[in-house]
Amino acid sequence: MPGGRRIAAVTDVHFDVAPGECLALIGESGCGKSVLASALLGLLPANARSAGEAYLGDLDLVSADERTLSREVRGRLIGLVPQSPAAHLTPVRTVRSQTEETVAALTGVRGRAAVRDAARAAAERAAFPADHLDRHPHELSGGLAQRAATALALVGDAPLLLADEPTTGLDRDLVDRTVDELRRHVDNAAADAEAGDGSGRGLLMITHDLAAAERIADRVAVMYAGRIVELADARAFFGSPGPRHPYSRGLLQALPDRAFTPIPGMPPELGDLPGGCAFAPRCARASAACAALPPLTDGLACHHPVAGADAPLPEDARA
């Protein structure tokens, strides 16, 4: 609330993540993706407010108190791969000691040797090198810190894994390995659930990396200016018929292996949103109808969706 003004960082967001499913949440920087993740975990700043409902089983995360969040949710019900791992790792302790403590706290593993082996296995799952386990966070590169944080997030086998930019600082091979491990985490749980052993795990991955999203996601949610503007099956979104929202299509067309055409203009400030559709000032398909805010209906919030590559513009669209 800068200057005493309330700013809605995330508004009217509705989605679910099923056991055995990966939902990729994508959008430009500043659209509210990480704010949403912080709200689910009760990690918003003290001057922030959240409203609504976010159920994990029978527990409403939005109304849960700090004691419940710290003792029952974080790590146990929701595993977090943070956007800034260096800020979440304890700077005065080695990666090994932090991983072993997490193993002891979140699993049934007991005994020094067993805990040590489990910590080493967790590091291996996240491609964290064993010979770096005795290093402190400040001795790690950004990519290694990211892998350490991923290892910690996987330890508890939480029902929901929330990965906020989990591939930051990684080269392409490690990106693929990391998202494959996250996918395996979900798929193994889904197989266990089918066999009657466990109830499955879901993954909400927040990412700018559309190639990683395409590799791992079952569904895609696109956020713009604090709102979800499209929810789609990942195969249809990245393949045919492609995205239906002009913004979503613009994100894909900006990729180097596609048209490599940037979306014109800049995203609006969340404290100074235009009336109606927030994307209208940047949209070639915008018309007078876009002065009214489009609701999210059947997975789409747009007055003039793209029906295909050559879909005609509305008659009163801006040139």
Side-chain angles (χ1 to χ4, degrees):
M1 296 187 294
R5 220 165 31 108
R6 287 187 178 274
I7 294 176
V10 178
T11 306
D12 295 334
V13 168
H14 303 274
F15 65 85
D16 58 7
V17 182
E21 179 185 42
C22 171
L23 176 67
L25 181 60
I26 65 175
E28 291 168 288
S29 296
C31 70
K33 302 187 303 296
S34 293
V35 171
L36 175 60
S38 295
L40 292 176
L41 287 162
L43 296 175
L44 291 171
N47 65 339
R49 298 291 180 267
S50 56
E53 298 175 336
Y55 280 97
L56 186 56
D58 295 328
L59 176 64
D60 180 10
L61 300 173
V62 175
S63 62
D65 57 29
E66 175 58 26
R67 180 184 177 88
T68 300
L69 290 169
S70 62
R71 295 194 174 191
E72 299 179 24
V73 175
R74 299 178 194 133
R76 291 175 171 82
L77 294 178
I78 301 179
L80 173 66
V81 181
Q83 184 177 25
S84 303
H88 284 71
L89 296 171
T90 304
V92 296
R93 298 179 58 194
T94 65
V95 175
R96 186 190 302 278
S97 69
Q98 294 183 63
T99 308
E100 290 181 357
E101 179 184 54
T102 304
V103 167
L106 300 182
T107 73
V109 176
R110 294 292 179 267
R112 182 168 180 78
V115 168
R116 193 176 184 87
D117 288 345
R120 190 181 301 112
E124 185 177 348
R125 287 178 68 186
F128 188 87
D131 58 357
H132 285 54
L133 281 168
D134 291 314
R135 296 191 179 187
H136 291 81
H138 73 272
E139 298 176 293
L140 305 177
S141 66
L144 282 174
Q146 188 71 56
R147 281 182 270 170
T150 301
L152 293 174
L154 292 173
V155 165
D157 284 335
L160 177 63
L161 190 62
L162 203 167
D164 191 359
E165 301 290 355
T167 60
T168 300
L170 305 182
D171 62 35
R172 199 71 244 168
D173 287 343
L174 280 173
V175 167
D176 291 346
R177 177 167 177 175
T178 297
V179 297
D180 287 350
E181 183 55 48
L182 294 176
R183 181 76 242 189
R184 191 175 299 113
H185 178 79
V186 171
D187 289 343
N188 288 347
D192 290 344
E194 280 190 21
D197 180 16
S199 58
R201 293 188 287 266
L203 169 62
L204 174 60
M205 184 173 79
I206 296 169
T207 185
H208 289 95
D209 190 335
L210 297 187
E214 182 176 10
R215 187 178 181 95
I216 191 176
D218 298 297
R219 288 189 301 143
V220 177
V222 183
M223 181 173 277
Y224 186 80
R227 293 177 181 268
I228 300 264
V229 297
E230 184 165 6
L231 269 166
D233 173 81
R235 285 190 181 181
F237 185 89
F238 290 108
S240 179
R244 294 180 293 160
H245 197 285
Y247 173 66
S248 307
R249 191 164 290 253
L251 286 178
L252 287 192
Q253 293 306 308
L255 295 175
D257 60 346
R258 301 213 181 199
F260 206 23
T261 303
I263 302 173
M266 295 291 290
E269 295 290 334
L270 293 178
D272 189 27
L273 294 179
C277 174
F279 185 61
R282 306 173 68 188
C283 182
R285 303 180 64 79
S287 72
C290 301
L293 184 68
L296 185 69
T297 306
D298 295 328
L300 186 67
C302 183
H303 293 296
H304 303 299
V306 181
D310 301 316
L313 296 175
E315 289 184 5
D316 61 340
R318 289 192 292 271

